[in-house]
Amino acid sequence: MSRLSCVRHLRTVAAVTGGLVLACSLTACGGDSAASDAKAVTVYSADGLKGENGDGWYDRVFKDFEKKTGIKVNYVEGGSGEMVQRAVREKSNTQADVLITLPPFIQQADAKGLLQTYRPKGSEQVDGADKDRDGKWTSVVNNYFGFIHNKKELPGGKAPRTWEDLTGSAYKNKVQYSTPGVAGDGTAVLIKAMHDFGGKEPALAYLKKLQTNNVGPSASTGKLAPKVDKGELLAANGDVQMNYAQSKDMPHLGIWFPATAKDPDRPTTFALPYAAGLVSKAPHDANAKKFLDYLLGRQAQRQVSEIGGGFPARKDVEATDANALALDKIIDGVEVFQPDWADISENLSDYVADWKSATGS
């Protein structure tokens, strides 16, 4: 298969499946398609930014970037943990140029030596808490963790408000959350529960109880929303950007933020940005830098809310479109806390192991 045919095939399969895809290895398609001078860039990313119908932020950014630079984007998607694990396996034969994940996986990627220093143009306008001080990664889309429920089946006063609501008999086999340690949003479930319940042990005790209603693990958070919209599930985890974008085609999705029964009027969330880094020994290093610069450019940042349903990472890009106003309303009145990402990154393996033990997962 020719280099050009391979690139086109990769893009076509990724667009059709929207899942973890790589149609053929970048070195097995005839010729050296990973050559540094190839007009391509390979992006490994957490799901959520590509549209269900080819109308997401990534879809527009990839198209516009290719038109402007002539550089084609090879796209590989999966859970944040999956993407980091894949990049680790490929360290001796690096395939990815850019890695985009949710925290704490971007921090883990750095700790595993997967990222090199690069400060994209515009990153000086990103808040210090949303980028690495050594320049290994920077947020490109700001976002918040949340849950979803089916508004048709659970309207008005029937809508869940607390964690404890999800353990009720009405939710038997109707709750699902993505897998901690594999999916970024799934890991966020554990992080938020630890915060809301006051520590690891009470959080694990709750999640053990929730297993009675939980239908099982899911490697991808994005696959849960269609199930909620159809009523196969009543509630699931997610994040504001992804679920707001999905709600355009899934009218029964309602975004909410669990509180605790002890404090039901105090819903909480935390920032869960999509953070991007330049991969060490990236095959297309120069192209990757251009791509990162483009993601933080003013045009792409304005499109974060207009098209992607997220929050711009740049402080100097003020979003005033209808989506931006709706997003601000969604998180209005919700307490935003700051996780200790250094602790979470260092101890994530233990936290996940304890979660598995407590839930029998």
Side-chain angles (χ1 to χ4, degrees), residues 156-196:
K158 293 184 179 180
R161 295 178 60 203
T162 70
W163 289 100
E164 288 84 356
D165 287 341
L166 301 182
T167 63
S169 58
Y171 291 87
K172 180 70 174 179
N173 295 326
K174 290 287 188 176
V175 177
Q176 190 172 19
Y177 62 93
S178 49
T179 310
V182 176
D185 288 322
T187 305
V189 171
L190 185 55
I191 293 170
K192 178 169 157 58
M194 289 169 60
H195 170 271
D196 289 359

Side-chain angles (χ1 to χ4, degrees), residues 144 231 238-239 279 317 348:
Y144 295 91
D239 61 66
V279 176
V317 174
L348 181 60

